[in-house]
Amino acid sequence: MYLNTALRRQEEKAYTPTAKDLGLGPYILMFHLLLMHWKKLVPERGITYRRMLVKDSDCRRYQKGTQFIWMSFVSSSVDLAKAEPFPTCAATGEHKMTFIIDNRNPSRWRPRNIENHAQHGKTFGAAFNQITTEEELEDLPTFHYQNSDVQLKGLGLLRIILASYRQTLCPFTINKHKSLAGVMEDIFRHIDTEENWTTVKTKICDSLYTVCKPAVTVLKATKTKQEFYSKIVNVYTNEGTQLYMYLNTALRRQEEKAYTPTAKDLGLGPYILMFHLLLMHWKKLVPERGITYRRMLVKDSDCRRYQKGTQFIWMSFVSSSVDLAKAEPFPTCAATGEHKMTFIIDNRNPSR
């Protein structure tokens, strides 16, 4: 059900794969390769049947002589009595149609007999997720009270990426008694050892390609570890790539109810993790020990929440400047708001 939904979605206008679509991608490719090339799946050379529930609007389009395709994997049966739709996810429609498929003529698209490998009688539950539109992302909150619950939410995407890329990022036994910060430091040490950074670079470039090709071009051109680290920072600060806009939107989305990362969020994940590791552990990035400034455009509703003594966090990477005159928001993606606020950040006390 998940798989064929992902394939049929490709017909949507302005199609963009979801996180689930991308997660299914490698399986879909492997299944396709087996159906086309695995010799143990013998092509069917007789008549097969497929019964579907079809909407009235679609039913009229199936006319004699019409050539069409199904945008998903479609099973059929040599036994008409068994050609029913799957009971758990049959398409809704007013008409039950039976397709008689003649496979007697040679064709690359003959159905393969998977009877010896198929599992019958199993059903799987469905899950539905609310989709967030690009317009709704513009209204994401910029203020979050400082508490442990919010901090854990802020690590949501990083935790998913760590789990997804475990063999690349931390193929070692993790000390369960260590804090997450301690584990992250161990991960950086692993990446920083010998040529491990090259494997991480490849993963980042492959993952980031669907989101920000200009940034990938820059990262791919790096030849040394230090150059790679430097360019990870550079592409974030380069307004031409707009990487910072995609990245911080992905991080701020973690506060949504029933948060599910989008395809873009997951594509950004390895880069976000690497950038985080460099900011925290790369010795060439020296901690600032003076006053820095950050100017933001803040919504009226958020503005009133910044009160003296309030502890809060920003759910994204935030740049600041030692020069007040340079503390302006990025002009290409400044958050909308009625009030221009200047944050004076005192970094003189020791802090991680």
Side-chain angles (χ1 to χ4, degrees), residues 139-145 297-307 336 338-339 341 343:
D139 294 325
L140 288 171
T142 57
F143 178 95
H144 306 282
Y145 286 107
L297 292 174
V298 181
K299 297 176 185 177
D300 188 66
S301 56
D302 285 345
C303 188
R304 293 191 295 268
R305 301 167 77 184
Y306 287 107
Q307 299 295 325
T336 56
E338 299 83 16
H339 304 280
M341 293 184 68
F343 294 85

Side-chain angles (χ1 to χ4, degrees), residues 242-254:
Q242 293 196 328
L243 178 61
Y244 60 90
M245 180 169 61
Y246 304 131
L247 184 152
N248 287 323
T249 298
L251 290 171
R252 283 161 46 214
R253 283 191 62 253
Q254 294 174 102

Side-chain angles (χ1 to χ4, degrees), residues 149-205:
D149 182 52
V150 170
Q151 285 178 295
L152 286 174
K153 286 180 180 177
L155 295 170
L157 185 57
L158 289 184
R159 289 176 184 272
I160 292 170
I161 297 306
L162 284 172
S164 301
Y165 293 87
R166 171 70 188 272
Q167 292 305 310
T168 299
L169 298 169
C170 46
F172 49 83
T173 302
I174 294 176
N175 186 340
K176 295 181 180 180
H177 301 291
K178 275 193 174 183
S179 64
L180 182 59
V183 172
M184 296 289 271
E185 188 171 2
D186 289 343
I187 291 171
F188 180 73
R189 286 201 192 100
H190 168 74
I191 295 172
D192 199 48
T193 302
E194 298 177 349
E195 296 300 307
N196 293 337
W197 69 275
T198 59
T199 305
V200 173
K201 170 187 165 181
T202 300
K203 293 291 184 183
I204 289 174
C205 290

Side-chain angles (χ1 to χ4, degrees), residues 328-347:
E328 295 294 329
F330 284 127
T332 53
C333 69
T336 56
E338 299 83 16
H339 304 280
K340 183 178 281 190
M341 293 184 68
T342 301
F343 294 85
I344 303 171
I345 306 166
D346 188 345
N347 305 290

Side-chain angles (χ1 to χ4, degrees), residues 1-26 28 127-134 157 160 165 207 210-211 253 259-268:
M1 179 169 62
Y2 303 132
L3 184 152
N4 285 327
T5 298
L7 290 170
R8 284 170 16 224
R9 283 191 61 254
Q10 295 174 99
E11 271 289 270
E12 295 175 355
K13 290 183 179 179
Y15 166 70
T16 301
T18 66
K20 279 189 175 178
D21 297 344
L22 289 183
L24 287 162
I28 290 173
F128 299 92
N129 296 303
Q130 183 177 359
I131 296 175
T132 303
T133 65
E134 293 296 327
L157 185 57
I160 292 170
Y165 293 87
S207 179
T210 58
V211 184
R253 283 191 62 253
Y259 166 69
T260 301
T262 66
K264 279 188 176 180
D265 298 345
L266 293 180
L268 287 160

